């Protein structure tokens, strides 16, 4: 049976949970809010399939020749409501129009993040946009396999570990499966996100009706976290001032495995990789309009097919992948663990979110802050 001796060894991908033939595995939340497999020894038959399936234990490597593009959706409204260039929406729409289904991360009705499937274009809004919280995969691998066996086209999207978890669970290739991952900074704790939402509720005295991690009211380069309320009231702050975004970007609340990620690599199993194209102002300055540009990396023949199917609806230009990754190092490099992380998680259990966050967040260098503001003015 699978044993987690070091939490760095588990990304929480749910592959073992989905594949257990006796449903002997539960995903149990630890004190930090991350889920790990727990074995019910009374149900377990010690078949070992969980251990054989784990994508970290059985880490798979491939050789491919990834190709990179700078892209954005010609539909300005969809682009505005997307985290970067609105490419996911076009890919997903194409799959749905062909009678397929799409899996991805969505908010539930209390703004927890969970993986779900959609079958109509009207539902696409649920999956659009970044969710800076680890999503609960649940039994979606099992659901995806059922559709695949029924010969239905499936697009499965997620973090690199979730895509490798799906592939490990399926154990064979399907012609009707398409996969898309992201360049991932790391996944924040659902518990920390919950504590932050409690803090916002107490602060704003109301429940949100919509949350957007990457609102573009002030442009793409700002990580605007926006809570919308009834009567057109809202809270909106960027990554320099919002406490949750600062905690996330200063690596205080990421999963243990994110600091030594097994899936940060150049050669990926996903057919296509999407990301914000940071550095576009250096590489293709004429394309940089502060509305959002996607870095699109094609990893397979299927990935090439996905891009080909939407080419009439996008502006795109091929770029040197090595040059692009200089500005997007999270493709291959893990986040550096914050020295205050353990204390942050310990204190967040009992104290108010804002008090703990302010205690452990690094104070910005004043000179660096001034330089950033000057750069924002002149660029």
């Amino acid at each position: 049976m699978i044993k987690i001796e070091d939490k760095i060894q588990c990304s929480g991908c749910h592959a073992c949970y989905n594949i257990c033939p006796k449903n002997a595995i539960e995903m149990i939340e630890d004190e930090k809010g991350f889920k790990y497999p727990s074995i019910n020894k009374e149900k377990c038959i010690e078949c070992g399939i969980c251990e054989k399936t784990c994508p970290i234990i059985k880490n798979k490597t491939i050789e491919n020749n990834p190709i990179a593009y700078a892209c954005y959706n010609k539909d300005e409204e969809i682009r505005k409501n997307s985290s970067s260039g609105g490419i996911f929406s076009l890919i997903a729409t194409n799959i749905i129009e062909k009678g397929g289904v799409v899996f991805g991360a969505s908010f539930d009705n209390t703004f927890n993040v969970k993986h779900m499937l959609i079958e109509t274009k009207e539902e696409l809004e649920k999956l659009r946009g970044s969710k800076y919280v680890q999503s609960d995969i649940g039994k979606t691998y099992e659901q995806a396999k059922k559709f695949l066996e029924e010969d239905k086209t499936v697009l499965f999207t997620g973090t690199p570990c979730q895509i490798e978890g799906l592939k490990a669970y399926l154990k064979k290739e399907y012609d009707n499966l398409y996969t898309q991952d992201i360049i991932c900074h790391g996944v924040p704790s659902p518990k920390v996100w919950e504590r932050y939402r409690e803090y916002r509720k107490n602060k704003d005295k109301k429940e949100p009706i919509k949350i957007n991690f990457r609102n573009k009211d002030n442009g793409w380069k700002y990580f605007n976290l926006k809570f919308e309320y009834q009567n057109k009231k809202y809270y909106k702050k960027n990554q320099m001032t919002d406490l949750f975004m600062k905690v996330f970007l200063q690596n205080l609340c990421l999963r243990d495995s994110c600091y030594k990620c097994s899936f940060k690599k150049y050669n990926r199993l996903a057919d296509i990789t999407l990301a914000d194209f940071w550095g576009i102002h250096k590489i293709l300055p004429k394309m940089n309009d502060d509305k959002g540009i996607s870095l699109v990396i094609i990893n397979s023949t299927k990935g090439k097919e996905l891009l080909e199917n939407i080419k009439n609806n996008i502006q795109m230009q091929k770029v040197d992948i090595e040059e692009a990754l200089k500005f997007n190092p999270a493709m291959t490099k893990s986040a550096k663990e914050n020295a205050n992380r353990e204390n942050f998680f310990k204190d967040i259990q009992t104290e108010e979110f804002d008090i703990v966050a302010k205690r452990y967040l690094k104070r910005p260098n004043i000179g660096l802050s001034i330089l950033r503001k000057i750069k924002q003015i002149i660029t």
Side-chain angles (χ1 to χ4, degrees):
M1 66 181 73
I2 199 163
K3 292 182 180 179
I4 309 299
E5 295 178 354
D6 186 338
K7 288 184 176 179
I8 285 177
Q9 298 172 335
C10 178
S11 68
C13 76
H14 282 61
C16 59
Y17 169 71
N18 275 262
I19 205 165
C20 179
K22 296 296 182 180
N23 292 315
I25 297 178
E26 289 184 81
M27 298 299 291
I28 304 298
E29 189 177 287
D30 73 353
E31 69 284 353
K32 293 185 175 76
F34 296 109
K35 289 187 175 182
Y36 292 87
S38 176
I39 312 295
N40 183 328
K41 293 182 180 179
E42 292 182 3
K43 291 183 178 180
C44 180
I45 57 174
E46 298 188 19
C47 63
I49 193 170
C50 54
E51 191 172 29
K52 293 172 186 174
T53 301
C54 175
I56 290 182
I57 295 174
K58 303 293 182 181
N59 194 256
K60 188 175 181 179
T61 58
I62 61 167
E63 291 295 327
N64 59 10
N65 184 33
I67 301 170
Y69 296 87
C71 304
Y72 66 82
N73 194 325
K74 291 179 181 178
D75 187 316
E76 289 292 321
E77 188 63 24
I78 293 177
R79 188 182 177 198
K80 180 183 177 182
N81 291 305
S82 302
S83 294
S84 48
I87 302 304
F88 159 76
S89 294
L90 287 170
I91 294 171
T93 296
N94 182 259
I95 294 292
I96 290 170
E97 287 178 343
K98 292 180 177 179
V101 299
V102 179
F103 289 83
S106 172
F107 287 124
D108 67 12
N109 57 10
T110 57
F111 295 103
N112 295 305
V113 182
K114 297 184 177 182
H115 251 62
M116 65 172 290
L117 75 93
I118 63 168
E119 300 182 77
T120 68
K121 289 187 283 185
E122 290 71 29
E123 297 175 287
L124 255 177
E125 185 182 359
K126 296 177 183 178
L127 307 188
R128 189 180 291 129
S130 298
K131 315 289 191 306
Y132 293 134
V133 186
Q134 181 162 39
S135 66
D136 189 337
I137 283 287
K139 286 287 186 179
T140 52
Y141 294 166
E142 195 175 286
Q143 288 178 289
K145 183 177 181 179
K146 184 175 181 292
F147 282 115
L148 292 168
E149 296 290 348
E150 293 171 354
D151 212 26
K152 205 172 185 75
T153 301
V154 172
L155 171 66
F156 202 102
T157 71
T159 57
C161 56
Q162 289 170 339
I163 299 303
E164 293 217 22
L166 171 68
K167 294 265 189 172
Y169 163 79
L170 292 174
K171 296 195 179 300
K172 72 172 189 177
E173 295 297 323
Y174 287 85
D175 292 339
N176 50 327
L177 172 66
Y178 296 84
T179 54
Q180 175 247 302
D181 70 0
I182 58 173
I183 295 181
C184 177
H185 175 78
V187 290
S189 160
K191 179 177 282 188
V192 171
W193 171 237
E194 180 182 356
R195 294 305 308 277
Y196 175 78
R197 295 199 319 272
E198 290 173 359
Y199 160 68
R200 284 256 59 87
K201 180 181 177 181
N202 293 335
K203 185 90 171 172
D204 301 335
K205 309 298 182 186
K206 52 181 77 75
E207 294 279 5
I209 57 173
K210 186 177 180 180
I211 298 176
N212 185 344
F213 279 102
R214 294 289 300 282
N215 174 268
K216 292 181 179 177
D217 290 348
N218 303 113
W220 169 55
K221 62 189 175 186
Y222 291 100
F223 281 54
N224 277 317
L225 175 55
K226 185 176 183 179
F227 280 54
E228 296 183 41
Y229 305 105
Q230 296 286 358
N231 302 320
K232 297 184 179 180
K233 301 291 185 181
Y234 66 88
Y235 160 86
K236 183 177 67 178
K237 295 289 183 182
N238 66 31
Q239 77 274 24
M240 299 296 288
T241 52
D242 177 77
L243 291 176
F244 180 82
M245 295 303 293
K246 290 171 75 174
V247 163
F248 164 47
L249 293 171
Q250 290 191 26
N251 302 335
L252 275 166
C253 63
L254 307 184
R255 190 181 180 97
D256 292 63
S257 59
C258 294
Y259 302 106
K260 195 175 181 181
C261 180
S262 299
F263 309 102
K264 296 273 190 182
K265 47 193 173 185
Y266 183 80
N267 302 103
R268 298 211 169 182
L269 295 186
D271 297 308
I272 191 167
T273 298
L274 301 182
D276 291 285
F277 200 141
W278 304 125
I280 190 70
H281 63 293
K282 294 283 189 182
I283 297 173
L284 292 172
K286 290 183 180 180
M287 206 171 183
N288 181 34
D289 58 5
D290 199 26
K291 295 180 181 179
I293 306 291
S294 293
L295 174 59
V296 179
I297 301 174
I298 305 302
N299 302 311
S300 70
T301 302
K302 284 184 180 179
K304 185 178 180 181
E305 178 190 337
L306 291 174
L307 189 62
E308 181 71 19
N309 289 341
I310 66 170
K311 68 178 184 180
N312 293 333
N313 300 106
I314 63 175
Q315 290 287 350
M316 72 174 187
Q317 188 165 334
K318 189 175 180 180
V319 297
D320 183 298
I321 189 168
E322 300 293 345
E323 192 67 20
L325 294 185
K326 287 179 183 178
F327 298 92
N328 296 273
M331 175 84 167
T332 56
K333 295 180 180 179
S334 297
K336 184 178 179 181
E337 185 170 1
N338 191 305
N340 292 318
R341 177 175 176 267
E342 289 299 326
N343 288 330
F344 170 82
F345 271 112
K346 179 182 176 183
D347 293 351
I348 204 72
Q349 309 293 330
T350 56
E351 298 183 62
E352 293 295 324
F353 181 91
D354 58 328
I355 294 172
V356 179
K358 290 173 183 176
R359 180 181 301 149
Y360 294 115
L361 285 168
K362 295 177 182 177
R363 293 183 179 179
N365 181 288
I366 295 176
L368 183 60
S369 297
I370 293 171
L371 286 174
R372 282 176 179 164
K373 287 182 179 180
I374 294 172
K375 187 177 179 181
Q376 288 168 8
I377 293 169
I378 64 176
T379 57

